[in-house]
Amino acid sequence: MESKLNLDSKIIDSARTAAANIADDVQEFIDAHTTTATERTVTRLLGVDGVDEIEKPLPNVLVDNIKEGGGLPRGAAFWIGNAIVQTGDDPQTIAEKISRGELDITRLDIASEEKIREAIYPIAEENVARIKANREKRDEYLNTIGEGNQPYIYVIVATGNIYEDIIQAKAAVKQGADVIAVIRTTGQSLLDYVPYGPTTEGFGGTYATQENFRLMRKALDEVGEEVGRYIRLCNYCSGLCMPEIAAMGAMERLDMMLNDALYGILFRDINMQRTLVDQYFSRVINGYAGIIINTGEDNYLTTDDAVEAAHTVLASQFINEQFALKAGLPEEQMGLGHAFEMDPDVENGFLYELSQAQMAREIFPNAPLKYMPPTKFMTGNIFKGHVQDALFNMVAIMTNQGIQLLGMLTEAIHTPHLHDRFLSIENAEYIFNNARDLGNEITFKDGGIIQKRAQKVLGDAEELLRQIEKEGLFPTIEKGKFGGVKRARDGGKGLEGVAKKDEGYFNPFIELMLGGER
């Protein structure tokens, strides 16, 4: 891609190299550790589902039994495979027996590693094939009924009741939405288990459960066939159950997942060691399933200044790109996040926003960039807010953004009503259609405000990345370099669920999804 911003390719290469070295350093830690959530994900992918008599999910029951017996370092696949060899039961039956107190999985005699792997791999391969079939089904839809143009029009439903969400989602699709995101209920990211079944109550959102995923996927397929385009479904696999929710989404053919460990560390105080290990497995799953991840850099600008901290967004995008590549996730599935969050009173703020959006597009040319709307400076003045959203939409179409989370004129007042969503979709469609090729017709003044802004942000990001490369990501987070939020390496939620792997550890799903040998 020819640069309109006259960006120095050597600086981009230097920043990318630093980010790769940062990711390499963290990957050494990831490869040596596992977590309770990662092992619960293995149990789910082996077919364990349901709850016990107190509604505790059976994957939690099984992995807690392993952890209590000191077996977490060997991983769930080892213990379940051994139990299959010793009992002849399938993983679901093993979990049910543990829940009834009939089996203590770590007290069984230990079979040979060869027999354990022979017991596990056929089951793992069958469930990986199910995920592959979902990806092929999505491709079939895209090749037959097609989908909307980019930027995808992305809107949110958040009633708390999955059945009401379905009604609102179908209405939004008929109004023009391409992506439906079901926001999770407040605080679900801090639950160390995934609720079970359909749910009808939530606060500020709807619980992410596998049944809710299934219900919404079915509804969007129905309305998509009606309107003649494939509708993408988005949810949230961040928090303490990040890889579990990724697995559930893969099994129910979700298309997008918010998936960013740094968001959980900074804004939910989840332990950085725990969530970076979980992020890796979640991205392996998302990559294999063809799910586009959405990263959370936009959130930095809610706690920091969008003008002064813009380089931290770009630095995080570079790091997220490298973490994604390590998990086998191609650039075309990296919805790297950024946002239109400058104070509207900043002189030439629109030029700065345009500069940064174009910069992100040029640096990550193959990524379906996710562009987030103004929220921090939405005041409740719906008329001004609608204009702010229009400027946001104009930047998106001029810079070929991939995913456009539409702003709502009633932001800062209430959860959007159906007519608020309609007006926002109408706003975006009008601008996207009328200015479809505007970006291709425009070049920027050499040495002008737009070029100089992008060059400065890139230079500052490269400097920050080289500093992180020297210090390490964990100390950088402890110093509050991202979002102005400091977190301790041994602090936050979930550290007790981290374990150093034993030599005999294996995860069949990472091996199968990344194409490795047994």
Side-chain angles (χ1 to χ4, degrees):
M1 175 184 291
E2 183 179 350
S3 177
K4 296 181 180 182
L5 300 171
N6 197 22
L7 298 177
D8 188 333
S9 61
K10 291 180 181 178
I11 296 178
I12 295 173
D13 291 344
S14 173
R16 192 161 266 129
T17 298
N21 291 335
I22 293 163
D24 284 343
D25 181 55
V26 177
Q27 193 66 39
E28 287 186 20
F29 178 88
I30 292 168
D31 290 342
H33 293 80
T34 188
T35 74
T36 47
T38 289
E39 300 312 318
R40 292 196 303 258
T41 306
V42 171
T43 70
R44 287 184 181 275
L45 290 170
L46 289 171
V48 176
D49 198 12
V51 294
D52 66 10
E53 71 279 0
I54 61 168
E55 297 191 1
K56 182 177 181 178
L58 290 181
N60 287 68
V61 170
L62 197 159
V63 172
D64 285 352
N65 184 248
I66 292 171
K67 185 171 182 284
E68 289 160 7
L72 191 61
R74 284 200 172 182
F78 174 89
W79 294 109
I80 295 171
N82 185 64
I84 292 170
V85 173
Q86 301 297 354
T87 68
D89 293 328
D90 61 26
Q92 180 70 20
T93 302
I94 290 165
E96 290 171 357
K97 284 186 174 181
I98 293 171
S99 75
R100 296 192 296 267
E102 298 171 7
L103 179 65
D104 189 336
I105 198 168
T106 60
R107 291 182 178 271
L108 295 169
D109 292 338
I110 303 298
S112 69
E113 182 179 341
E114 182 181 1
K115 286 186 176 180
I116 290 171
R117 284 178 171 260
E118 286 177 355
I120 281 292
Y121 268 88
I123 303 170
E125 288 167 347
E126 181 180 342
N127 286 304
V128 168
R130 173 183 172 182
I131 294 171
K132 182 180 179 183
N134 279 339
R135 182 170 187 158
E136 291 170 349
K137 180 67 174 177
R138 181 192 301 114
D139 290 342
E140 180 185 337
Y141 269 121
L142 293 173
N143 291 330
T144 52
I145 63 175
E147 63 177 338
N149 293 323
Q150 290 192 14
Y152 297 133
I153 292 177
Y154 173 126
V155 300
I156 288 167
V157 295
T159 72
N161 182 328
I162 188 60
Y163 301 104
E164 177 63 26
D165 285 344
I166 286 170
I167 294 170
Q168 292 210 12
K170 285 186 171 183
V173 169
K174 291 176 182 179
Q175 291 165 355
D178 302 308
V179 181
I180 299 295
V182 184
I183 283 191
R184 291 190 300 182
T185 187
T186 300
Q188 184 175 352
S189 61
L190 300 179
L191 297 180
D192 210 354
Y193 68 94
V194 182
Y196 182 76
T199 62
T200 56
E201 294 181 351
F203 182 78
T206 303
Y207 282 101
T209 74
Q210 189 164 341
E211 180 63 10
N212 284 350
F213 290 176
R214 187 192 69 81
L215 290 168
M216 185 60 81
R217 175 74 275 161
K218 181 175 181 291
L220 293 184
D221 285 347
E222 290 171 353
V223 72
E225 290 174 5
E226 182 181 342
V227 300
R229 67 182 190 280
Y230 183 68
I231 307 302
R232 295 181 183 266
L233 173 58
C234 178
N235 211 284
Y236 296 66
C237 65
S238 54
L240 289 170
C241 296
M242 182 186 287
E244 286 185 89
I245 294 176
M248 290 158 45
M251 288 188 280
E252 301 301 336
R253 193 168 32 91
L254 269 70
D255 306 284
M256 292 186 188
M257 281 285 193
L258 276 79
N259 183 222
D260 191 343
L262 284 174
Y263 168 81
I265 295 164
L266 300 177
F267 301 102
R268 292 296 180 266
D269 196 17
I270 295 171
N271 177 262
M272 63 180 78
Q273 300 176 61
R274 163 73 176 265
T275 196
L276 282 164
V277 174
D278 286 342
Q279 176 180 264
Y280 174 67
F281 191 21
S282 70
R283 289 190 176 181
V284 169
I285 295 166
N286 285 329
Y288 187 81
I291 292 171
I292 297 171
I293 65 165
N294 295 175
T295 60
E297 284 84 1
D298 57 284
N299 292 282
Y300 304 169
L301 305 182
T302 64
T303 55
D304 216 335
D305 182 77
V307 177
E308 299 299 324
H311 66 291
T312 67
V313 170
L314 179 57
S316 179
Q317 289 173 328
F318 273 117
I319 293 170
N320 257 317
E321 176 190 45
Q322 295 304 315
F323 278 138
L325 289 172
K326 286 191 170 299
L329 203 142
E331 295 174 40
E332 291 76 12
Q333 289 172 231
M334 298 181 196
L336 301 173
H338 60 136
F340 187 99
E341 282 285 23
M342 289 185 191
D343 186 334
D345 291 335
V346 170
E347 186 175 6
N348 287 320
F350 180 81
L351 277 66
Y352 294 157
E353 297 281 18
L354 180 60
S355 171
Q356 290 175 197
Q358 179 67 27
M359 175 189 68
R361 172 44 67 219
E362 292 186 11
I363 293 173
F364 307 102
N366 300 317
L369 299 172
K370 184 181 182 185
Y371 202 26
M372 300 291 284
T375 59
K376 188 175 181 179
F377 294 101
M378 296 289 274
T379 64
N381 178 340
I382 62 173
F383 304 103
K384 182 178 180 180
H386 211 40
V387 174
Q388 287 174 261
D389 288 337
L391 293 178
F392 162 65
N393 291 331
M394 181 60 75
V395 170
I397 197 63
M398 289 178 69
T399 59
N400 297 310
Q401 300 299 302
I403 303 162
Q404 185 83 344
L405 197 163
L406 297 193
M408 297 289 150
L409 69 165
T410 50
E411 179 75 40
I413 303 176
H414 55 65
T415 301
H417 296 311
L418 289 172
H419 56 272
D420 302 330
R421 200 176 285 123
F422 168 74
L423 290 171
S424 291
I425 292 172
E426 183 182 58
N427 180 328
E429 288 186 325
Y430 168 57
I431 291 170
F432 291 174
N433 180 62
N434 272 264
R436 175 63 61 184
D437 294 306
L438 179 60
N440 297 329
E441 298 289 319
I442 290 177
T443 56
F444 300 131
K445 177 183 176 182
D446 285 342
I449 293 171
I450 293 174
Q451 285 196 359
K452 284 184 177 179
R453 172 63 183 173
Q455 291 161 9
K456 181 181 189 309
V457 172
L458 172 59
D460 290 348
E462 189 248 358
E463 184 178 342
L464 175 59
L465 285 165
R466 285 192 286 107
Q467 183 180 346
I468 298 170
E469 182 184 12
K470 292 177 183 177
E471 297 180 1
L473 184 61
F474 290 160
T476 298
I477 295 170
E478 289 184 303
K479 292 179 180 179
K481 295 290 180 67
F482 292 109
V485 180
K486 297 179 180 180
R487 296 299 185 200
R489 176 173 180 148
D490 295 325
K493 303 166 183 69
L495 179 60
E496 71 285 349
V498 180
K500 190 173 178 63
K501 294 175 183 174
D502 279 351
E503 188 175 339
Y505 178 92
F506 74 101
N507 182 331
F509 297 100
I510 289 178
E511 294 175 20
L512 289 169
M513 291 177 179
L514 291 182
E517 298 296 325
R518 293 189 188 182

